[in-house]
Amino acid sequence: MQVKQQGPLTGLRVMDVSIMAAGPWTGALLGMLGAEVIKVEPPAGDGTRWVMPTQRGMGTNYVSMNVNKKDIVLDFKTEQGRRDALDLMATCDVFVQNFRGGVIERLKLDYESVKARNPRLIYCAICGFGETGPLSTAGCADPIMQAFSGFARSNGVPQEGVEALRFTGFIDLATAAVATEGILAALLDREVCGEGQKVEVSMLEAALEVQYTRYAELLGTGLVPSPRGSESAAFVPDGAYLGQDREIFITVHNESQWKGFCAALEKPDWLADPRFADNRKRVSHRQALSALIVPVIRSRPAFWWLRVLQRHGVPSSMAHHFETYRHHAQILANDMIARFDTPLWGEFFVGGLPWHFSETPCSVQAPPQSGEHTQEVLEELHGLQATVEEAK
Amino acid sequence: MSKGLQIIEFAQGIAGPMAGARLVELGASVIKIEGAEGDWLRGAAPAMPDNNGESGGDSASFFHLNRGKRSLALGPNPASARALFDALLHKADVLITDRSDEELRALGLEDLCEDAYLPNPRLVRVHISPLGRHGPIRNYQGSELTSQAMAGYTRYLGTHGQPARRLGADVASTGTGMFAVQAVLAAIFARGRTGKGQRVDLSLLNSLLSMKSIHIAAQCDPDVYAGPRVGGANFPPERGWKTRDEPIFFSFGGSVGAEGRPGWVEFVKEIGAEHLLQDKRFDHRGRNSTGHGTDVNALRQVYEKEFARFSADTLVDIIRKHTGNAARYMRADETVAHAQTVALGIVQDVPGRDGSSQRVRGFPVRFSRLKPQIQGVAPRLGEHTAEIARDAGFAEDVVSQLVEKGALRLVA
């Protein structure tokens, strides 16, 4: 499949030798931004090809993490494979790897070994716990980092202890998002100084980045993030309330929304109650206010509250799931989910582009088959090498 | 090239300010424009203690998300500030805003609502909304929590049919903040080639769905409806494995092929659970009984019976020694104090206001060349109104007139 790009990174070339999720989605994001991304797989293939569930035999995880790429197969354990890898790296602007500690050095594909060959290369290394420190070589995975980073300790309800997010992969994708920030910053720096650099990203730092506000509370005031069910430490009201039929999710950020909330619930007297005069006071009187709100919301259907709260400009929604959000007019109108067909594995939906550029529009492209571009890329590479040799 | 970027941040809450904060650290200069009441995150809980230990000021989240910026406060009649907006946008490289097109039009800034911004074609404009630029409910209000619910995240916590739970981390907002940084940097990169700025749209809901790609793909048309990526919403709460003290998560499976990790055999021997080697339920060297293996819930208690003799930290060390992955479920304060976090220098002490010292997180990426500058002072509401207006070419008497008209507000 020919990958046509017109995003903001059009003209850049990325070599992505990563596997699983955090590295591959970094490559995918760069591909969605328009770069030509060449995924290099070992002969055995990226392990996510077999992670359950599969669709017509292909790991759906693999499909979602490897959009907008070309795919070649190289065996780094052979001399030819390693030479091809180095030759390819010399033609690239960005290199992405997430090998476990020590492996990349054994392959002699670490930054120190390769930077002389391509000083303009942005070399992105992704790992679990960082490249220094006592856990620098420890293995990691999404649920491990949920545990280590405090992420799981702020979910659930206090009396039940920890609760991890059962939707795994979120920390992986957050790591890819942080890595992409770093790569883009390094690319802009290269525009000025002409040099590439190494960009180190850990799942640990990404896990803290998605907890930015909780860590701000901890570092700023000593408040340790703790589970609060559906409520937050920051705002009141901010939680799920049970209507006559189902739950509705409601947040009040500011005083204008508080006025709207009281109007929607037909409780103008709450506005005059000094206990609820501003958000901090409402947080201090959380239980008292909740005791007032719960029976009111319980008295009418959630759909009623949705209408009346929206009318008054108060953030509110129902919970959705795959079968409802994938057909939701709002989600479709903004391409928040992408759809494509694949020749062998059928129709797929994946997460849509996170950004929508007006002048350099991006798109989501189906992933290639294993080794689909090996011949094309290597022929070009060997042709280039032959030209270089002749010129010598 | 991010160094020296002039950014106007007309955004409040978490997502837009988070992008601004990270871009400040990369060398950008950020003017934060706030409404008369100030960014609503200032009033969130908990509040930062002031120098006397009193806690009546801005929230801790506001402080951390707005370090290194200058604040310009609008007055009760912000439409009269149109000329100042024009002047600031004329000189700027980037606008980050979460004001809706409707709100921008009310300020006389209808030019900003188009794809191309003719008064300054080089301006990169990042628009952040709860629900997206287009569509039938584009003007509805949204929040972190409503985004989590709409994107189906709340289904992966708690128990189906029981009261919903949220993710404690503000994932929709912080995710959008990260994507907004990408949007700015990518659009500036493109501008370097084309000479043109552009509009980029992001939303909280969109960010969460983008980051749910693995699960969306899994649910399309799976060969078998099994595993956490399709059935996870109906699983019991995930609390890891109990030990003598705190729970842990551990895995000998993962990306290691069909037979699990060889270290599992040594691991069960070391904890004195050799009987598991003869137990047919524990074949494949822990692949199916650890991590997210298919038999985890059925066999959890068998491990827990053995783990009751060990502390979490001891077990984690043993598991890692035998090539498994493991971690104790830590609180955030324990994570900050952990030797690994300390070794990476993730938390730093930087100078704050009036000679104080502030503990803050560093930039989440380490570069071999770039040196992000971590800031320790956040602006008071309108602290720099007069200075920013003056820098934009407005004489002092004109600024006074704007204040009188209610267009601007000077620091209280």
Side-chain angles (χ1 to χ4, degrees):
Chain A
M1 185 177 298
Q2 193 58 42
V3 182
K4 282 187 193 160
Q5 306 292 10
Q6 46 181 332
L9 300 191
T10 300
L12 293 184
R13 189 178 229 198
V14 178
M15 178 173 172
D16 170 9
V17 302
S18 67
I19 56 167
M20 303 308 285
W25 209 54
T26 306
L29 283 168
L30 296 170
M32 288 188 258
L33 284 167
E36 176 195 21
V37 181
I38 300 166
K39 181 179 176 78
V40 182
E41 288 191 77
D46 182 335
T48 52
R49 290 176 177 274
W50 297 276
V51 168
M52 294 298 284
T54 53
Q55 178 171 313
R56 299 191 197 168
M58 172 51 67
T60 55
N61 194 328
Y62 177 85
V63 171
S64 63
M65 294 295 96
N66 292 288
V67 296
N68 295 61
K69 296 181 188 179
K70 292 179 175 176
D71 190 281
I72 72 170
V73 175
L74 289 181
D75 186 353
F76 293 164
K77 290 173 184 158
T78 67
E79 192 46 41
Q80 181 64 45
R82 222 187 127 264
R83 202 159 49 232
D84 285 340
L86 287 168
D87 289 346
L88 183 58
M89 209 187 282
T91 70
C92 287
D93 300 283
V94 179
F95 177 74
V96 181
Q97 61 94 349
N98 64 349
F99 285 102
R100 197 164 168 159
V103 174
I104 200 78
E105 287 80 9
R106 284 202 293 280
L107 292 169
K108 292 196 171 57
L109 295 175
D110 56 298
Y111 185 57
E112 292 307 313
S113 304
V114 304
K115 71 177 178 186
R117 176 91 189 268
N118 181 0
R120 285 176 54 81
L121 187 69
I122 310 297
Y123 183 104
C124 179
I126 298 171
C127 64
F129 292 96
E131 293 195 16
T132 54
L135 298 182
S136 58
T137 57
C140 194
D142 181 282
I144 301 291
M145 192 46 71
Q146 283 200 45
F148 187 89
S149 68
F151 186 84
R153 280 279 185 192
S154 62
N155 310 321
V157 289
Q159 58 272 31
E160 291 178 7
V162 305
E163 184 172 349
L165 178 66
R166 297 193 296 274
F167 143 29
T168 62
F170 182 79
I171 303 289
D172 289 304
L173 271 61
T175 306
V178 169
T180 304
E181 289 180 61
I183 290 166
L184 288 166
L187 280 168
L188 282 180
D189 190 48
R190 190 181 75 168
E191 295 289 284
V192 178
C193 73
E195 287 175 31
Q197 63 187 301
K198 187 177 179 189
V199 174
E200 283 176 46
V201 179
S202 67
M203 291 177 73
L204 172 55
E205 285 176 272
L208 267 53
E209 189 72 348
V210 297
Q211 299 178 77
Y212 195 116
T213 39
R214 297 294 83 80
Y215 272 85
E217 290 159 6
L218 172 70
L219 297 174
T221 73
L223 179 81
V224 178
S226 59
R228 293 170 187 274
S230 64
E231 296 184 358
S232 74
F235 299 100
V236 170
D238 184 18
Y241 296 89
L242 184 61
Q244 229 169 37
D245 51 343
R246 67 176 75 193
E247 285 181 307
I248 178 168
F249 296 78
I250 306 170
T251 303
V252 170
H253 289 129
N254 56 37
E255 297 322 295
S256 143
Q257 290 174 353
W258 171 241
K259 282 179 195 157
F261 180 81
C262 294
L265 270 64
E266 299 168 29
K267 296 290 177 190
D269 50 314
W270 293 357
L271 284 176
D273 192 323
R275 294 174 301 170
F276 312 140
D278 61 35
N279 179 60
R280 295 257 173 81
K281 294 197 172 73
R282 293 192 290 274
V283 170
S284 298
H285 297 96
R286 180 189 292 273
Q287 310 294 354
L289 182 54
S290 182
L292 293 174
I293 295 171
V294 165
V296 177
I297 301 288
R298 188 78 180 92
S299 69
R300 290 185 185 171
F303 288 150
W304 162 262
W305 295 119
L306 193 61
R307 293 289 168 275
V308 75
L309 287 166
Q310 285 166 346
R311 204 180 294 156
H312 286 91
V314 180
S316 49
S317 77
M318 301 294 174
H320 284 270
H321 53 75
F322 181 68
E323 284 305 321
T324 55
Y325 64 60
R326 74 161 157 161
H327 301 302
H328 197 293
Q330 188 64 23
I331 286 161
L332 298 175
N334 292 283
D335 295 326
M336 297 187 199
I337 291 180
R339 194 207 72 84
F340 51 72
D341 292 308
T342 60
L344 298 179
W345 318 310
E347 178 192 41
F348 269 95
F349 292 89
V350 296
L353 300 165
W355 2 248
H356 303 275
F357 294 86
S358 66
E359 304 301 314
T360 53
C362 307
S363 61
V364 179
Q365 315 258 353
Q369 291 167 45
S370 176
E372 185 175 331
H373 302 93
T374 305
Q375 192 177 353
E376 169 196 322
V377 170
L378 289 185
E379 274 179 8
E380 182 206 314
L381 200 62
H382 294 151
L384 199 65
Q385 284 308 114
T387 312
V388 171
E389 292 301 320
E390 275 173 30
K392 283 180 185 171
Chain B
M1 232 155 86
S2 48
K3 199 164 191 170
L5 282 181
Q6 302 287 318
I7 297 180
I8 307 295
E9 178 189 298
F10 190 27
Q12 50 188 342
I14 300 168
M18 180 170 162
R22 288 312 192 194
L23 290 162
V24 164
E25 289 166 357
L26 289 173
S29 154
V30 174
I31 293 174
K32 182 180 181 75
I33 300 181
E34 300 185 69
E37 304 301 319
D39 183 335
W40 47 254
L41 195 64
R42 287 184 186 270
M48 286 288 277
D50 60 21
N51 286 350
N52 301 317
E54 303 287 321
S55 64
D58 293 328
S59 70
S61 291
F62 177 87
F63 167 75
H64 280 261
L65 287 164
N66 291 284
R67 289 171 289 123
K69 301 175 188 173
R70 295 192 296 157
S71 166
L72 178 143
L74 299 170
N77 182 20
S80 304
R82 164 80 198 265
L84 179 56
F85 267 109
D86 286 346
L88 291 172
L89 292 170
H90 187 72
K91 281 171 61 179
D93 297 289
V94 178
L95 168 72
I96 298 172
T97 187
D98 60 0
R99 299 303 198 271
S100 67
D101 285 359
E102 206 173 42
E103 290 170 303
L104 293 172
R105 284 194 188 98
L107 292 169
L109 302 171
E110 54 277 349
D111 287 347
L112 286 174
C113 305
E114 306 301 322
D115 279 355
Y117 180 63
L118 298 179
N120 176 4
R122 287 176 57 79
L123 185 68
V124 167
R125 292 163 296 131
V126 173
H127 290 250
I128 297 170
S129 62
L131 294 157
R133 181 183 184 184
H134 308 290
I137 59 170
R138 65 184 177 279
N139 291 325
Y140 284 6
Q141 297 295 315
S143 70
E144 172 64 40
L145 180 65
T146 62
S147 305
Q148 287 190 19
M150 280 195 81
Y153 278 51
T154 49
R155 285 163 39 79
Y156 291 84
L157 291 165
T159 305
H160 181 64
Q162 297 295 309
R165 289 153 190 199
R166 78 194 285 141
L167 265 168
D170 292 325
V171 290
S173 311
T174 55
T176 305
M178 295 190 285
F179 290 131
V181 172
Q182 296 170 7
V184 168
L185 298 177
I188 291 293
F189 184 84
R191 189 182 76 169
R193 287 177 167 37
T194 65
K196 283 191 206 161
Q198 58 182 314
R199 173 172 173 149
V200 195
D201 279 89
L202 299 90
S203 73
L204 269 59
L205 179 59
N206 197 150
S207 300
L208 285 186
L209 289 169
S210 295
M211 295 178 88
K212 212 181 180 191
S213 200
I214 289 175
H215 285 244
I216 292 171
Q219 294 180 86
C220 292
D221 190 16
D223 297 330
V224 180
Y225 204 85
R229 291 180 178 85
V230 285
N234 302 313
F235 286 6
E238 173 62 66
R239 308 187 196 289
W241 283 260
K242 289 179 199 150
T243 71
R244 194 176 70 204
D245 44 27
E246 299 288 329
I248 65 166
F249 192 93
F250 83 114
S251 172
F252 279 92
S255 58
V256 291
E259 290 306 315
R261 291 180 198 271
W264 180 81
V265 174
E266 297 308 312
F267 160 66
V268 296
K269 283 182 187 167
E270 182 162 347
I271 63 168
E274 290 90 342
H275 63 95
L276 300 185
L277 300 176
Q278 275 74 52
D279 191 328
K280 289 285 176 217
R281 297 174 299 171
F282 287 82
D283 59 1
H284 304 298
R285 298 189 294 207
R287 180 179 169 83
N288 296 337
S289 61
T290 69
H292 285 125
T294 48
D295 305 332
V296 161
N297 285 327
L299 299 174
R300 193 181 301 267
Q301 288 178 348
V302 180
Y303 280 113
E304 288 181 339
K305 200 173 160 194
E306 307 294 338
F307 288 1
R309 298 192 300 277
F310 300 88
S311 72
D313 287 337
T314 302
L315 271 170
V316 165
D317 287 345
I318 295 171
I319 293 164
R320 285 191 185 136
K321 184 171 81 182
H322 296 298
T323 72
N325 294 339
R328 173 164 70 82
Y329 282 96
M330 297 202 293
R331 295 189 316 267
D333 56 324
E334 296 175 303
T335 307
V336 166
H338 194 282
Q340 184 62 29
T341 313
V342 173
L344 292 181
I346 287 174
V347 176
Q348 305 179 10
D349 292 304
V350 295
R353 198 184 280 274
D354 302 328
S356 63
S357 173
Q358 296 291 347
R359 296 202 85 197
V360 300
R361 277 180 49 239
F363 199 81
V365 176
R366 59 206 61 233
F367 301 94
S368 59
R369 233 188 70 83
L370 279 171
K371 301 282 175 250
Q373 299 298 310
I374 309 305
Q375 310 290 323
V377 178
R380 298 189 180 107
L381 175 60
E383 184 175 347
H384 308 93
T385 303
E387 167 189 319
I388 292 166
R390 199 174 53 237
D391 292 352
F394 287 71
E396 229 163 83
D397 57 328
V398 179
V399 174
S400 300
Q401 286 166 16
L402 286 172
V403 173
E404 274 167 34
K405 275 193 219 167
L408 297 180
R409 187 180 146 176
L410 299 180
V411 64

